[in-house]
Amino acid sequence: MFILVINPGSTSTKMAVYEDESPMVLRSITHTTEELSKFDDVLEQQDYRKQLVLAELKRMNIPMEFDAVIGRGGLVKPIAGGVYEINQRMLDDTHSGIALHNHACNLGCLIAYDIASQIPGCRAFIADPGVVDELNDYARISGSPLMGRICIWHALNQRAIARRFAQEIGRRYEDLNLIICHMGGGISVAAHEHGRAVDANNALDGEGPFSPERAGSLPAVDLIRLCFSGKYSEKQLLKRIAGKAGLNAHLGTPDVREIERRIADGDTHAELILNAMIYHLAKNIVGLAAVFCGKVDAILLTGGLARSEYVISRLRKRIDFLAPTYCFPGEDEMEALALNALAVLQGKREVVEYE
């Protein structure tokens, strides 16, 4: 089976070609600020990015003979986990403004569908988008009936790591209780109970631990007062939640490697802030043990920050008592997407209909 994978990000479009489980091509097409500034809206970038992908395939002499094209899922309405065949309703919802955020990942299904429609017999999919919602009833309830809890998290990578871990220990993902933490620009922590993520934080909108670029949970009254202070516009305050927040707000950079260099040079303030992030992250991880009444099979740490010995060593001191901790540095969303498509094509996994 030949599979084309498309993963649009804010400043790049990653693409890959797989022959069954084996990657034949892995590319990242970078988009400059100047190039993207021509577009008023992210969705207007659809044809621009698609043409770049097609040009790259032509340049590498890769024939348009794919069995499937799979794109990164967008932030549309909350859905259950799984592999979804892209249909007209998904396309309409992406264009309609139902999406929770105007994020480049929303382009994934649009570009995948466009390319697949040009190839006879080719199918178009997405898998485990960031809006996968399998929360239990308790997890949905907040302290205000005006605001129920939703989750926006790294569903694709977390679930791929969970399956990989289960395979490595000779168990089924569906038989395990796992706490999985994806640590990148945003940090998501989820409780995976027998194959379902029954609790997870909203890692984009401000919930959970603060991260390199996200504010995490904030004092509600202080936030309300800040909104009515007249000092900031709505747009500025939203950036203070996601973007100019977390380590970036405290230290002027989201780059943990740079912060570690400052600490090595004696910057005690940088040390305080980074250690505080680790402290709050540990509290969130351990707090999810209550979901399982303490019966946790393993804690899995993944994402870019899992490469940091500074972060991992200090985090483990606070969480290792709870359950065995395993580290899977980085992320491989491209492989996860390809393997999800392959599983459907081979009849190993049922495709889900987007309704």
Side-chain angles (χ1 to χ4, degrees):
M1 299 290 180
F2 288 91
I3 300 165
L4 174 63
V5 183
I6 299 170
N7 185 350
S10 54
T11 59
S12 68
T13 301
K14 296 177 183 177
M15 57 175 289
V17 176
Y18 276 74
E19 181 179 359
D20 293 332
E21 299 93 347
S22 302
M24 300 171 59
V25 170
L26 293 169
R27 293 285 187 274
S28 182
I29 304 170
T30 301
H31 312 301
T32 67
T33 303
E34 291 73 24
E35 289 169 338
L36 298 183
S37 65
K38 302 173 185 175
F39 304 97
D40 295 327
D41 184 88
V42 167
L43 294 185
E44 293 179 5
Q45 301 171 17
Q46 176 182 343
D47 189 63
Y48 163 72
R49 295 198 190 215
K50 181 187 74 172
Q51 294 303 328
L52 289 174
V53 170
L54 295 176
E56 189 67 15
L57 292 171
K58 184 176 181 180
R59 187 185 69 80
M60 293 182 290
N61 295 316
I62 296 175
M64 296 286 285
E65 298 173 355
F66 300 109
D67 297 285
V69 184
I70 185 165
R72 180 183 179 186
L75 302 178
V76 289
K77 62 185 180 184
I79 55 177
V83 184
Y84 287 77
E85 190 137 19
I86 300 170
N87 59 19
Q88 191 59 49
R89 181 166 294 179
M90 185 186 298
L91 299 174
D92 291 344
D93 281 356
T94 303
H95 280 293
S96 70
I98 197 174
L100 298 172
H101 285 273
N102 189 23
H103 192 281
C105 64
N106 296 327
L107 293 166
C109 74
L110 303 179
I111 297 173
Y113 184 85
D114 268 1
I115 293 177
S117 64
Q118 301 175 29
I119 305 168
C122 184
R123 300 173 72 182
F125 304 114
I126 65 164
D128 289 331
V131 289
V132 165
D133 183 349
E134 299 167 345
L135 300 185
N136 64 41
D137 291 339
Y138 299 126
R140 296 184 190 282
I141 298 173
S142 76
S144 170
L146 298 176
M147 292 173 283
R149 288 187 68 242
I150 65 168
C151 54
I152 300 178
W153 57 296
H154 301 90
L156 178 64
N157 189 50
Q158 284 206 26
R159 187 146 278 154
I161 292 300
R163 290 196 177 101
R164 175 178 162 189
F165 170 74
Q167 185 176 24
E168 288 180 0
I169 66 170
R171 300 278 300 277
R172 294 173 70 246
Y173 167 49
E174 291 77 12
D175 295 331
L176 296 171
N177 286 341
L178 303 171
I179 297 175
I180 307 181
C181 177
H182 179 111
M183 301 176 292
I187 293 177
S188 64
V189 191
H192 295 247
E193 183 177 41
H194 297 166
R196 290 179 62 84
V198 296
D199 205 336
N201 65 308
N202 186 336
L204 184 58
D205 283 340
E207 189 185 46
F210 73 85
S211 72
E213 296 180 348
R214 311 282 195 269
S217 299
L218 294 171
V221 171
D222 289 341
L223 181 58
I224 291 170
R225 287 174 176 159
L226 195 62
C227 290
F228 286 90
S229 68
K231 296 179 180 179
Y232 302 96
S233 67
E234 179 184 1
K235 186 176 181 180
Q236 288 172 325
L237 284 173
L238 288 174
K239 289 294 288 184
R240 295 282 180 165
I241 299 295
K244 193 176 181 181
L247 297 181
N248 197 18
H250 280 286
L251 300 174
T253 179
D255 189 339
V256 170
R257 293 167 299 181
E258 168 61 25
I259 294 169
E260 288 181 19
R261 285 192 287 268
R262 293 185 194 177
I263 293 171
D265 291 337
D267 188 334
T268 56
H269 180 63
E271 182 178 20
L272 171 66
I273 299 300
L274 184 56
N275 286 349
M277 185 190 80
I278 296 167
Y279 171 85
H280 288 289
L281 175 54
K283 287 198 303 178
N284 276 259
I285 291 172
V286 173
L288 280 182
V291 174
F292 308 120
C293 299
K295 297 177 182 178
V296 182
D297 292 303
I299 302 169
L300 310 184
L301 306 176
T302 184
L305 289 187
R307 296 190 180 97
S308 168
E309 192 278 333
Y310 185 103
V311 171
I312 295 301
S313 62
R314 286 159 178 78
L315 186 56
R316 277 186 150 157
K317 287 180 181 179
R318 297 187 180 276
I319 65 175
D320 272 349
F321 74 91
L322 180 62
T325 302
Y326 301 86
C327 201
F328 296 86
E331 60 183 81
D332 200 340
E333 293 180 331
M334 306 303 282
E335 180 181 65
L337 287 167
L339 294 181
N340 271 293
L342 182 64
V344 170
L345 294 175
Q346 293 180 336
K348 297 178 180 178
R349 191 168 303 157
E350 292 292 326
V351 72
V352 184
E353 183 179 0
Y354 182 87
E355 297 178 346

